[in-house]
Amino acid sequence: MEDAFIRIRNLKKIYKMGDEYIHALDGIDLDIKKGDIICLLGTSGSGKSTLLNAIAGLEKPTKGEINIGGVELTKLNEEQLTIFRRLNIGFVFQSYNLVPTLTALENVSLSLMFKGEDKKTREQKAIKILKAVGLEHRLKHKPKEMSGGQQQRVSIARAFVDNPKIIFADEPTGNLDSKTTEEVLNLITKIAKEHNQTMIIVSHDEEVTNFADRTYHMQDGKIYKIKTNEKGEETNEKAN
Ligand code: ADP
Ligand code: MG
């Protein structure tokens, strides 16, 4: 692909456990366009999180290339990777990873601390995005005072607050019921499309594929199938 924003070539990650070698990633090639919503689908242990963590620069691959917007991640040191993540990437996790002692507003504005903005600007940005995810009435609530779906909305607000180029979501709906799952998927894909952000959603749940432009099926550290979502057909199928 000529216009790939994320370009991965022959990516391998081998873990050594005693005498055993685990090929968590076994030669991954991937081209992702800017603004695309991608689903990495596979059963537990297929290598999805390892791939996501490698693309996010959180885990060094054993071999291969990861190029994002012209930057070769495997050539960056830890400090450069930290800066790269801070400037370009937002994360949504299955378990929300909110700070339990902080309110929704504080959790979201905290992530702007490193950007050198004053408190007022941080709060304004945080309130704006918390409104966008439908939590304007929960600004002062702490995580345990909110439902799972609401906590995930806070973590979505935190991921999007500084308008990152890329959003990584690892099993973002893994702890949510099916109705909330659909709401959360609708929300994150809508925000990402509005801002032309590239999003990679990792999941074992087929439901996610309905919200993605393309789905990469993974097994044993390999991509064995790629499916592109034909938008027109999907609307017809949802007859009620
Ligand atoms: P998924 O996210 O699809 O469930 P993972 O990427 O977490 O799968 O794991 C892929 C494979 O790599 C699994 O077999 C897992 O046991 C193994 N693995 C993951 N992380 C490590 C690690 N830190 N050390 C050793 N093996 C690991
Ligand atoms: Mg995983």
Side-chain angles (χ1 to χ4, degrees):
M1 197 190 280
E2 292 256 315
D3 53 348
F5 174 53
I6 300 176
R7 196 186 129 96
I8 292 170
R9 287 296 175 273
N10 195 25
L11 197 68
K12 297 192 177 180
K13 177 77 186 186
I14 302 168
Y15 292 110
K16 189 171 188 300
M17 301 289 285
D19 292 340
E20 198 195 348
Y21 291 92
I22 299 166
H23 296 257
L25 297 178
D26 197 11
I28 300 277
D29 294 313
L30 203 56
D31 286 291
I32 299 173
K33 269 197 313 216
K34 188 154 178 37
D36 262 3
I37 292 172
I38 297 300
C39 173
L40 296 177
L41 189 75
T43 51
S44 176
S46 53
K48 309 179 298 292
S49 295
T50 307
L51 179 55
L52 198 75
N53 291 340
I55 307 175
L58 288 167
E59 211 160 343
K60 274 241 177 287
T62 311
K63 195 174 180 239
E65 294 165 24
I66 306 168
N67 196 292
I68 303 182
V71 177
E72 182 52 49
L73 286 205
T74 51
K75 299 217 166 95
L76 303 186
N77 63 31
E78 284 305 319
E79 196 190 340
Q80 291 167 320
L81 281 172
T82 304
I83 294 166
F84 182 85
R85 271 195 301 276
R86 213 171 266 165
L87 292 177
N88 295 290
I89 298 176
F91 290 95
V92 180
F93 304 95
Q94 174 172 1
S95 49
Y96 325 130
N97 289 18
L98 301 172
V99 182
T101 53
L102 299 182
T103 64
L105 180 58
E106 289 163 348
N107 263 289
V108 176
S109 48
L110 177 71
S111 65
L112 295 167
M113 285 280 268
F114 307 102
K115 308 276 164 79
E117 282 168 358
D118 61 69
K119 189 160 184 268
K120 185 131 184 262
T121 313
R122 293 201 303 267
E123 279 197 6
Q124 281 169 346
K125 281 190 178 179
I127 291 170
K128 188 168 170 224
I129 187 78
L130 281 162
K131 274 187 185 161
V133 301
L135 284 180
E136 60 271 37
H137 58 311
R138 290 290 182 275
L139 299 180
K140 300 249 167 78
H141 285 239
K142 292 185 179 153
K144 69 169 186 299
E145 297 159 353
M146 289 181 279
S147 70
Q150 289 170 336
Q151 290 181 59
Q152 193 56 304
R153 282 165 190 269
V154 176
S155 101
I156 289 164
R158 180 184 55 190
F160 280 98
V161 67
D162 212 25
N163 202 18
K165 293 195 188 78
I166 311 168
I167 307 283
F168 289 127
D170 195 345
E171 305 274 5
T173 58
N175 290 340
L176 304 175
D177 62 60
S178 61
K179 180 167 171 281
T180 315
T181 289
E182 200 171 321
E183 285 168 6
V184 160
L185 290 171
N186 258 319
L187 181 66
I188 53 178
T189 52
K190 181 171 147 274
I191 305 177
K193 282 292 175 199
E194 276 169 9
H195 298 91
N196 196 30
Q197 285 155 310
T198 308
M199 180 149 71
I200 303 182
I201 310 173
V202 158
S203 187
H204 62 273
D205 180 3
E206 290 270 350
E207 169 74 3
V208 176
T209 64
N210 296 322
F211 294 83
D213 296 311
R214 199 164 302 108
T215 297
Y216 293 86
H217 294 254
M218 288 189 73
Q219 196 168 18
D220 299 329
K222 292 190 180 80
I223 290 168
Y224 69 95
K225 189 164 80 180
I226 304 172
K227 254 188 110 177
T228 302
N229 210 349
E230 308 297 345
K231 283 283 141 65
E233 287 173 27
E234 201 195 301
T235 358
N236 293 336
E237 278 166 16
K238 290 193 175 167
N240 44 15

